[in-house]
Amino acid sequence: WHIPQGVPAGRRGTDIDHVVIGWGGVYKLNTKTHPGGRASVVDRRLMVNAKPTHYLRNSQHEAERAGRLLSQAVGFAVPIQSALVFLTGTRIPNVTIKQNPPDVRIYDRTDIPGVFKRAPHRIDDEQIAAIYEVARRCTTWTGSRACTCTAADG
C-alpha cells in the first residue's frame, strides 16, 4: 500500500489528508478530529455533537474529483472509495453508525488497519504503480505546471 498524504485538492490551499493506493483499490481518506466528540451517521446525515456537518457531501465531491483527475493522468478509469476517519481522542471512539451512507465509508481509527488488510484484490501491481506515480505529483491535482511539490508518502 502507498499512502500519499497532504495531497493538494485544487488551488485554494485545501488538501486530501490521505490517498491510499493498493491491491484493494484507491481510497480517499479525510480525518476529522473531534476530541471528546460524538459522531452519528444516519444515511445521508452526519452529526457531530448533535450538529449537522457537510462532511459526507464534501467527501464524496472530493472523491469524484480525485477519480477524474487520476483517471485522466493514468489513462484508465480509477474508481475511488471515499472515507471519513473520526478521531475522537477517546480509547473507544464515540462514533455511532445507524445507517451507512451509500457512497462514503465511515471509520474510526481502530478500523483502519483491518479495512486494508481484508480488502479484496481489485487492481494489479502495474496499475498500483501507475496510479501511485501520478498521485505523488501536484500537477495531477492542481493542473498547474508551475508547482514543484510531491505529496509525502506515509
Side-chain angles (χ1 to χ4, degrees):
W1 291 91
H2 300 284
I3 310 171
Q5 299 180 62
V7 175
R11 297 181 180 150
R12 297 182 192 164
T14 60
D15 69 355
I16 297 170
D17 295 334
H18 312 277
V19 176
V20 182
I21 305 161
W23 70 76
V26 181
Y27 298 76
K28 181 214 61 87
L29 303 182
N30 276 98
T31 55
K32 299 299 179 188
T33 304
H34 292 281
R38 296 181 67 101
S40 62
V41 183
V42 179
D43 191 37
R44 298 296 310 157
R45 191 169 179 194
L46 190 146
M47 309 281 280
V48 175
N49 297 327
K51 295 179 184 172
T53 71
H54 294 290
Y55 293 163
L56 293 175
R57 182 195 69 207
N58 294 350
S59 187
Q60 184 56 29
H61 172 75
E62 284 178 357
E64 289 168 0
R65 180 178 182 277
R68 255 190 336 272
L69 293 172
L70 286 175
S71 296
Q72 289 170 357
V74 296
F76 58 85
V78 179
I80 295 187
Q81 175 60 63
S82 181
L84 292 169
V85 181
F86 280 91
L87 309 172
T88 60
T90 58
R91 186 173 180 93
I92 299 172
N94 202 342
V95 180
T96 302
I97 302 172
K98 294 180 182 176
Q99 185 178 8
N100 280 306
D103 48 7
V104 178
R105 299 288 185 256
I106 308 294
Y107 302 117
D108 64 53
R109 65 179 173 76
T110 62
D111 294 326
I112 294 303
V115 167
F116 301 113
K117 285 180 183 176
R118 291 187 303 270
H121 288 248
R122 292 186 179 104
I123 58 178
D124 62 34
D125 290 344
E126 188 175 299
Q127 291 170 312
I128 293 167
I131 295 166
Y132 177 60
E133 180 57 35
V134 300
R136 296 178 61 237
R137 299 183 200 148
C138 67
T139 53
T140 299
W141 305 101
T142 65
S144 172
R145 299 200 185 279
C147 69
T148 58
C149 67
T150 301
D153 205 4

PDB file of all heavy atoms in Angstrom, residues 32 34 37-41 46-48 84-90 92-98 100 106-111:
ATOM      1  N   LYS A  32     -11.115  13.456  10.582  1.00  0.00           N
ATOM      2  CA  LYS A  32     -11.855  14.501  11.297  1.00  0.00           C
ATOM      3  C   LYS A  32     -11.572  14.338  12.781  1.00  0.00           C
ATOM      4  O   LYS A  32     -11.871  13.303  13.359  1.00  0.00           O
ATOM      5  CB  LYS A  32     -13.363  14.397  11.027  1.00  0.00           C
ATOM      6  CG  LYS A  32     -13.735  14.552   9.557  1.00  0.00           C
ATOM      7  CD  LYS A  32     -13.318  15.911   9.049  1.00  0.00           C
ATOM      8  CE  LYS A  32     -13.651  16.087   7.582  1.00  0.00           C
ATOM      9  NZ  LYS A  32     -13.080  17.311   7.050  1.00  0.00           N
ATOM     10  N   HIS A  34     -12.231  15.365  16.502  1.00  0.00           N
ATOM     11  CA  HIS A  34     -13.216  15.952  17.409  1.00  0.00           C
ATOM     12  C   HIS A  34     -12.967  15.399  18.805  1.00  0.00           C
ATOM     13  O   HIS A  34     -13.637  14.466  19.243  1.00  0.00           O
ATOM     14  CB  HIS A  34     -14.646  15.626  16.943  1.00  0.00           C
ATOM     15  CG  HIS A  34     -15.016  16.281  15.673  1.00  0.00           C
ATOM     16  ND1 HIS A  34     -15.385  17.598  15.600  1.00  0.00           N
ATOM     17  CD2 HIS A  34     -15.038  15.812  14.399  1.00  0.00           C
ATOM     18  CE1 HIS A  34     -15.647  17.918  14.345  1.00  0.00           C
ATOM     19  NE2 HIS A  34     -15.433  16.852  13.591  1.00  0.00           N
ATOM     20  N   GLY A  37     -15.660  14.315  21.181  1.00  0.00           N
ATOM     21  CA  GLY A  37     -16.899  14.485  20.423  1.00  0.00           C
ATOM     22  C   GLY A  37     -17.643  13.187  20.186  1.00  0.00           C
ATOM     23  O   GLY A  37     -17.109  12.101  20.345  1.00  0.00           O
ATOM     24  N   ARG A  38     -18.902  13.349  19.803  1.00  0.00           N
ATOM     25  CA  ARG A  38     -19.770  12.222  19.447  1.00  0.00           C
ATOM     26  C   ARG A  38     -20.185  12.411  17.997  1.00  0.00           C
ATOM     27  O   ARG A  38     -20.720  13.449  17.639  1.00  0.00           O
ATOM     28  CB  ARG A  38     -21.025  12.215  20.303  1.00  0.00           C
ATOM     29  CG  ARG A  38     -20.801  11.993  21.777  1.00  0.00           C
ATOM     30  CD  ARG A  38     -22.136  11.999  22.496  1.00  0.00           C
ATOM     31  NE  ARG A  38     -22.922  10.833  22.104  1.00  0.00           N
ATOM     32  CZ  ARG A  38     -23.027   9.745  22.848  1.00  0.00           C
ATOM     33  NH1 ARG A  38     -22.432   9.683  24.011  1.00  0.00           N
ATOM     34  NH2 ARG A  38     -23.744   8.729  22.448  1.00  0.00           N
ATOM     35  N   ALA A  39     -19.953  11.404  17.184  1.00  0.00           N
ATOM     36  CA  ALA A  39     -20.375  11.446  15.790  1.00  0.00           C
ATOM     37  C   ALA A  39     -21.452  10.391  15.581  1.00  0.00           C
ATOM     38  O   ALA A  39     -21.363   9.285  16.115  1.00  0.00           O
ATOM     39  CB  ALA A  39     -19.195  11.183  14.867  1.00  0.00           C
ATOM     40  N   SER A  40     -22.472  10.739  14.821  1.00  0.00           N
ATOM     41  CA  SER A  40     -23.503   9.763  14.483  1.00  0.00           C
ATOM     42  C   SER A  40     -23.885   9.933  13.022  1.00  0.00           C
ATOM     43  O   SER A  40     -23.904  11.035  12.489  1.00  0.00           O
ATOM     44  CB  SER A  40     -24.730   9.912  15.385  1.00  0.00           C
ATOM     45  OG  SER A  40     -25.306  11.180  15.215  1.00  0.00           O
ATOM     46  N   VAL A  41     -24.179   8.789  12.404  1.00  0.00           N
ATOM     47  CA  VAL A  41     -24.486   8.769  10.978  1.00  0.00           C
ATOM     48  C   VAL A  41     -25.794   8.022  10.761  1.00  0.00           C
ATOM     49  O   VAL A  41     -25.972   6.911  11.252  1.00  0.00           O
ATOM     50  CB  VAL A  41     -23.371   8.056  10.178  1.00  0.00           C
ATOM     51  CG1 VAL A  41     -23.671   8.101   8.693  1.00  0.00           C
ATOM     52  CG2 VAL A  41     -22.019   8.655  10.481  1.00  0.00           C
ATOM     53  N   LEU A  46     -24.777  13.305   8.736  1.00  0.00           N
ATOM     54  CA  LEU A  46     -23.723  13.072   9.699  1.00  0.00           C
ATOM     55  C   LEU A  46     -23.723  14.225  10.695  1.00  0.00           C
ATOM     56  O   LEU A  46     -23.645  15.385  10.306  1.00  0.00           O
ATOM     57  CB  LEU A  46     -22.364  12.997   8.994  1.00  0.00           C
ATOM     58  CG  LEU A  46     -21.231  12.517   9.888  1.00  0.00           C
ATOM     59  CD1 LEU A  46     -20.246  11.706   9.070  1.00  0.00           C
ATOM     60  CD2 LEU A  46     -20.515  13.674  10.532  1.00  0.00           C
ATOM     61  N   MET A  47     -23.853  13.860  11.947  1.00  0.00           N
ATOM     62  CA  MET A  47     -23.903  14.855  13.018  1.00  0.00           C
ATOM     63  C   MET A  47     -22.667  14.693  13.895  1.00  0.00           C
ATOM     64  O   MET A  47     -22.242  13.571  14.170  1.00  0.00           O
ATOM     65  CB  MET A  47     -25.144  14.653  13.882  1.00  0.00           C
ATOM     66  CG  MET A  47     -26.457  14.543  13.119  1.00  0.00           C
ATOM     67  SD  MET A  47     -27.081  16.108  12.596  1.00  0.00           S
ATOM     68  CE  MET A  47     -27.821  16.664  14.113  1.00  0.00           C
ATOM     69  N   VAL A  48     -22.120  15.810  14.355  1.00  0.00           N
ATOM     70  CA  VAL A  48     -21.041  15.804  15.333  1.00  0.00           C
ATOM     71  C   VAL A  48     -21.502  16.672  16.496  1.00  0.00           C
ATOM     72  O   VAL A  48     -21.836  17.850  16.294  1.00  0.00           O
ATOM     73  CB  VAL A  48     -19.722  16.326  14.744  1.00  0.00           C
ATOM     74  CG1 VAL A  48     -18.660  16.427  15.829  1.00  0.00           C
ATOM     75  CG2 VAL A  48     -19.236  15.421  13.612  1.00  0.00           C
ATOM     76  N   LEU A  84     -14.337   8.735   5.590  1.00  0.00           N
ATOM     77  CA  LEU A  84     -14.062   9.665   6.680  1.00  0.00           C
ATOM     78  C   LEU A  84     -13.580   8.841   7.858  1.00  0.00           C
ATOM     79  O   LEU A  84     -14.166   7.800   8.177  1.00  0.00           O
ATOM     80  CB  LEU A  84     -15.319  10.422   7.087  1.00  0.00           C
ATOM     81  CG  LEU A  84     -15.880  11.408   6.081  1.00  0.00           C
ATOM     82  CD1 LEU A  84     -17.272  11.871   6.517  1.00  0.00           C
ATOM     83  CD2 LEU A  84     -14.954  12.593   5.930  1.00  0.00           C
ATOM     84  N   VAL A  85     -12.513   9.299   8.499  1.00  0.00           N
ATOM     85  CA  VAL A  85     -11.970   8.614   9.665  1.00  0.00           C
ATOM     86  C   VAL A  85     -12.083   9.572  10.843  1.00  0.00           C
ATOM     87  O   VAL A  85     -11.516  10.665  10.819  1.00  0.00           O
ATOM     88  CB  VAL A  85     -10.502   8.207   9.453  1.00  0.00           C
ATOM     89  CG1 VAL A  85      -9.970   7.481  10.676  1.00  0.00           C
ATOM     90  CG2 VAL A  85     -10.355   7.346   8.207  1.00  0.00           C
ATOM     91  N   PHE A  86     -12.829   9.160  11.860  1.00  0.00           N
ATOM     92  CA  PHE A  86     -13.041  10.013  13.024  1.00  0.00           C
ATOM     93  C   PHE A  86     -12.027   9.717  14.115  1.00  0.00           C
ATOM     94  O   PHE A  86     -11.787   8.565  14.468  1.00  0.00           O
ATOM     95  CB  PHE A  86     -14.461   9.841  13.573  1.00  0.00           C
ATOM     96  CG  PHE A  86     -15.456  10.617  12.776  1.00  0.00           C
ATOM     97  CD1 PHE A  86     -16.105  10.036  11.707  1.00  0.00           C
ATOM     98  CD2 PHE A  86     -15.707  11.937  13.075  1.00  0.00           C
ATOM     99  CE1 PHE A  86     -17.002  10.761  10.949  1.00  0.00           C
ATOM    100  CE2 PHE A  86     -16.607  12.675  12.320  1.00  0.00           C
ATOM    101  CZ  PHE A  86     -17.252  12.085  11.261  1.00  0.00           C
ATOM    102  N   LEU A  87     -11.474  10.784  14.642  1.00  0.00           N
ATOM    103  CA  LEU A  87     -10.548  10.723  15.760  1.00  0.00           C
ATOM    104  C   LEU A  87     -11.205  11.501  16.889  1.00  0.00           C
ATOM    105  O   LEU A  87     -11.280  12.724  16.847  1.00  0.00           O
ATOM    106  CB  LEU A  87      -9.205  11.354  15.386  1.00  0.00           C
ATOM    107  CG  LEU A  87      -8.579  10.842  14.080  1.00  0.00           C
ATOM    108  CD1 LEU A  87      -7.366  11.675  13.707  1.00  0.00           C
ATOM    109  CD2 LEU A  87      -8.214   9.381  14.204  1.00  0.00           C
ATOM    110  N   THR A  88     -11.708  10.791  17.880  1.00  0.00           N
ATOM    111  CA  THR A  88     -12.441  11.463  18.957  1.00  0.00           C
ATOM    112  C   THR A  88     -11.588  11.657  20.204  1.00  0.00           C
ATOM    113  O   THR A  88     -12.044  12.263  21.169  1.00  0.00           O
ATOM    114  CB  THR A  88     -13.718  10.687  19.328  1.00  0.00           C
ATOM    115  OG1 THR A  88     -13.347   9.373  19.758  1.00  0.00           O
ATOM    116  CG2 THR A  88     -14.678  10.619  18.161  1.00  0.00           C
ATOM    117  N   GLY A  89     -10.367  11.160  20.168  1.00  0.00           N
ATOM    118  CA  GLY A  89      -9.487  11.334  21.315  1.00  0.00           C
ATOM    119  C   GLY A  89      -9.799  10.407  22.475  1.00  0.00           C
ATOM    120  O   GLY A  89      -9.240  10.549  23.552  1.00  0.00           O
ATOM    121  N   THR A  90     -10.676   9.456  22.258  1.00  0.00           N
ATOM    122  CA  THR A  90     -11.007   8.510  23.314  1.00  0.00           C
ATOM    123  C   THR A  90     -10.476   7.132  22.936  1.00  0.00           C
ATOM    124  O   THR A  90     -10.288   6.836  21.758  1.00  0.00           O
ATOM    125  CB  THR A  90     -12.534   8.429  23.535  1.00  0.00           C
ATOM    126  OG1 THR A  90     -13.151   8.058  22.297  1.00  0.00           O
ATOM    127  CG2 THR A  90     -13.098   9.753  24.011  1.00  0.00           C
ATOM    128  N   ILE A  92     -11.980   4.265  23.117  1.00  0.00           N
ATOM    129  CA  ILE A  92     -13.021   3.667  22.287  1.00  0.00           C
ATOM    130  C   ILE A  92     -13.743   4.822  21.611  1.00  0.00           C
ATOM    131  O   ILE A  92     -14.427   5.603  22.266  1.00  0.00           O
ATOM    132  CB  ILE A  92     -13.997   2.824  23.130  1.00  0.00           C
ATOM    133  CG1 ILE A  92     -13.235   1.687  23.814  1.00  0.00           C
ATOM    134  CG2 ILE A  92     -15.129   2.287  22.258  1.00  0.00           C
ATOM    135  CD1 ILE A  92     -14.041   0.912  24.803  1.00  0.00           C
ATOM    136  N   PRO A  93     -13.564   4.975  20.292  1.00  0.00           N
ATOM    137  CA  PRO A  93     -14.148   6.124  19.594  1.00  0.00           C
ATOM    138  C   PRO A  93     -15.660   6.185  19.741  1.00  0.00           C
ATOM    139  O   PRO A  93     -16.334   5.164  19.773  1.00  0.00           O
ATOM    140  CB  PRO A  93     -13.740   5.894  18.144  1.00  0.00           C
ATOM    141  CG  PRO A  93     -12.538   5.014  18.235  1.00  0.00           C
ATOM    142  CD  PRO A  93     -12.762   4.143  19.433  1.00  0.00           C
ATOM    143  N   ASN A  94     -16.166   7.389  19.833  1.00  0.00           N
ATOM    144  CA  ASN A  94     -17.589   7.607  20.022  1.00  0.00           C
ATOM    145  C   ASN A  94     -18.234   7.912  18.670  1.00  0.00           C
ATOM    146  O   ASN A  94     -18.562   9.059  18.368  1.00  0.00           O
ATOM    147  CB  ASN A  94     -17.794   8.754  21.018  1.00  0.00           C
ATOM    148  CG  ASN A  94     -19.158   8.681  21.644  1.00  0.00           C
ATOM    149  OD1 ASN A  94     -20.045   8.018  21.143  1.00  0.00           O
ATOM    150  ND2 ASN A  94     -19.315   9.386  22.744  1.00  0.00           N
ATOM    151  N   VAL A  95     -18.346   6.884  17.848  1.00  0.00           N
ATOM    152  CA  VAL A  95     -18.928   7.002  16.515  1.00  0.00           C
ATOM    153  C   VAL A  95     -20.051   5.984  16.404  1.00  0.00           C
ATOM    154  O   VAL A  95     -19.826   4.785  16.540  1.00  0.00           O
ATOM    155  CB  VAL A  95     -17.873   6.754  15.413  1.00  0.00           C
ATOM    156  CG1 VAL A  95     -18.496   6.870  14.037  1.00  0.00           C
ATOM    157  CG2 VAL A  95     -16.697   7.723  15.556  1.00  0.00           C
ATOM    158  N   THR A  96     -21.261   6.464  16.175  1.00  0.00           N
ATOM    159  CA  THR A  96     -22.420   5.596  16.031  1.00  0.00           C
ATOM    160  C   THR A  96     -22.896   5.650  14.592  1.00  0.00           C
ATOM    161  O   THR A  96     -23.205   6.730  14.080  1.00  0.00           O
ATOM    162  CB  THR A  96     -23.561   6.060  16.957  1.00  0.00           C
ATOM    163  OG1 THR A  96     -23.085   6.066  18.299  1.00  0.00           O
ATOM    164  CG2 THR A  96     -24.762   5.140  16.838  1.00  0.00           C
ATOM    165  N   ILE A  97     -22.951   4.500  13.950  1.00  0.00           N
ATOM    166  CA  ILE A  97     -23.435   4.441  12.569  1.00  0.00           C
ATOM    167  C   ILE A  97     -24.741   3.669  12.588  1.00  0.00           C
ATOM    168  O   ILE A  97     -24.753   2.450  12.739  1.00  0.00           O
ATOM    169  CB  ILE A  97     -22.412   3.774  11.642  1.00  0.00           C
ATOM    170  CG1 ILE A  97     -21.094   4.538  11.699  1.00  0.00           C
ATOM    171  CG2 ILE A  97     -22.951   3.710  10.213  1.00  0.00           C
ATOM    172  CD1 ILE A  97     -19.957   3.867  10.979  1.00  0.00           C
ATOM    173  N   LYS A  98     -25.846   4.394  12.456  1.00  0.00           N
ATOM    174  CA  LYS A  98     -27.163   3.760  12.449  1.00  0.00           C
ATOM    175  C   LYS A  98     -27.508   3.245  11.070  1.00  0.00           C
ATOM    176  O   LYS A  98     -28.209   2.255  10.922  1.00  0.00           O
ATOM    177  CB  LYS A  98     -28.213   4.744  12.950  1.00  0.00           C
ATOM    178  CG  LYS A  98     -28.010   5.113  14.411  1.00  0.00           C
ATOM    179  CD  LYS A  98     -29.041   6.074  14.896  1.00  0.00           C
ATOM    180  CE  LYS A  98     -28.759   6.437  16.352  1.00  0.00           C
ATOM    181  NZ  LYS A  98     -29.659   7.439  16.866  1.00  0.00           N
ATOM    182  N   ASN A 100     -25.365   3.193   7.184  1.00  0.00           N
ATOM    183  CA  ASN A 100     -24.221   3.623   6.393  1.00  0.00           C
ATOM    184  C   ASN A 100     -24.653   4.460   5.198  1.00  0.00           C
ATOM    185  O   ASN A 100     -25.608   4.110   4.509  1.00  0.00           O
ATOM    186  CB  ASN A 100     -23.440   2.418   5.879  1.00  0.00           C
ATOM    187  CG  ASN A 100     -22.532   1.850   6.922  1.00  0.00           C
ATOM    188  OD1 ASN A 100     -21.722   2.568   7.497  1.00  0.00           O
ATOM    189  ND2 ASN A 100     -22.665   0.565   7.180  1.00  0.00           N
ATOM    190  N   ILE A 106     -17.509   5.256   6.705  1.00  0.00           N
ATOM    191  CA  ILE A 106     -17.205   5.925   7.963  1.00  0.00           C
ATOM    192  C   ILE A 106     -16.408   4.951   8.822  1.00  0.00           C
ATOM    193  O   ILE A 106     -16.838   3.817   9.054  1.00  0.00           O
ATOM    194  CB  ILE A 106     -18.496   6.319   8.722  1.00  0.00           C
ATOM    195  CG1 ILE A 106     -19.454   7.120   7.830  1.00  0.00           C
ATOM    196  CG2 ILE A 106     -18.144   7.074  10.000  1.00  0.00           C
ATOM    197  CD1 ILE A 106     -18.956   8.461   7.400  1.00  0.00           C
ATOM    198  N   TYR A 107     -15.253   5.401   9.285  1.00  0.00           N
ATOM    199  CA  TYR A 107     -14.403   4.562  10.130  1.00  0.00           C
ATOM    200  C   TYR A 107     -13.957   5.357  11.354  1.00  0.00           C
ATOM    201  O   TYR A 107     -13.945   6.584  11.343  1.00  0.00           O
ATOM    202  CB  TYR A 107     -13.141   4.120   9.375  1.00  0.00           C
ATOM    203  CG  TYR A 107     -13.407   3.356   8.111  1.00  0.00           C
ATOM    204  CD1 TYR A 107     -13.020   3.854   6.875  1.00  0.00           C
ATOM    205  CD2 TYR A 107     -14.038   2.113   8.144  1.00  0.00           C
ATOM    206  CE1 TYR A 107     -13.246   3.143   5.702  1.00  0.00           C
ATOM    207  CE2 TYR A 107     -14.271   1.397   6.976  1.00  0.00           C
ATOM    208  CZ  TYR A 107     -13.877   1.923   5.761  1.00  0.00           C
ATOM    209  OH  TYR A 107     -14.110   1.220   4.614  1.00  0.00           O
ATOM    210  N   ASP A 108     -13.536   4.624  12.378  1.00  0.00           N
ATOM    211  CA  ASP A 108     -12.788   5.266  13.445  1.00  0.00           C
ATOM    212  C   ASP A 108     -11.365   4.727  13.321  1.00  0.00           C
ATOM    213  O   ASP A 108     -11.104   3.802  12.556  1.00  0.00           O
ATOM    214  CB  ASP A 108     -13.422   5.032  14.821  1.00  0.00           C
ATOM    215  CG  ASP A 108     -13.419   3.589  15.244  1.00  0.00           C
ATOM    216  OD1 ASP A 108     -12.329   2.962  15.229  1.00  0.00           O
ATOM    217  OD2 ASP A 108     -14.494   3.065  15.591  1.00  0.00           O
ATOM    218  N   ARG A 109     -10.456   5.312  14.055  1.00  0.00           N
ATOM    219  CA  ARG A 109      -9.039   4.971  13.885  1.00  0.00           C
ATOM    220  C   ARG A 109      -8.752   3.491  14.099  1.00  0.00           C
ATOM    221  O   ARG A 109      -7.828   2.945  13.509  1.00  0.00           O
ATOM    222  CB  ARG A 109      -8.167   5.831  14.775  1.00  0.00           C
ATOM    223  CG  ARG A 109      -8.382   5.588  16.242  1.00  0.00           C
ATOM    224  CD  ARG A 109      -7.471   6.444  17.109  1.00  0.00           C
ATOM    225  NE  ARG A 109      -7.826   6.312  18.504  1.00  0.00           N
ATOM    226  CZ  ARG A 109      -7.545   5.274  19.253  1.00  0.00           C
ATOM    227  NH1 ARG A 109      -6.907   4.249  18.742  1.00  0.00           N
ATOM    228  NH2 ARG A 109      -7.911   5.236  20.521  1.00  0.00           N
ATOM    229  N   THR A 110      -9.536   2.822  14.904  1.00  0.00           N
ATOM    230  CA  THR A 110      -9.285   1.406  15.178  1.00  0.00           C
ATOM    231  C   THR A 110      -9.674   0.515  13.998  1.00  0.00           C
ATOM    232  O   THR A 110      -9.219  -0.620  13.913  1.00  0.00           O
ATOM    233  CB  THR A 110     -10.034   0.936  16.447  1.00  0.00           C
ATOM    234  OG1 THR A 110     -11.436   1.088  16.249  1.00  0.00           O
ATOM    235  CG2 THR A 110      -9.583   1.737  17.668  1.00  0.00           C
ATOM    236  N   ASP A 111     -10.498   1.019  13.087  1.00  0.00           N
ATOM    237  CA  ASP A 111     -10.930   0.242  11.926  1.00  0.00           C
ATOM    238  C   ASP A 111      -9.863   0.153  10.834  1.00  0.00           C
ATOM    239  O   ASP A 111      -9.838  -0.805  10.063  1.00  0.00           O
ATOM    240  CB  ASP A 111     -12.159   0.888  11.266  1.00  0.00           C
ATOM    241  CG  ASP A 111     -13.387   0.870  12.135  1.00  0.00           C
ATOM    242  OD1 ASP A 111     -13.570  -0.090  12.901  1.00  0.00           O
ATOM    243  OD2 ASP A 111     -14.179   1.835  12.043  1.00  0.00           O
TER     244      ASP A 111
END
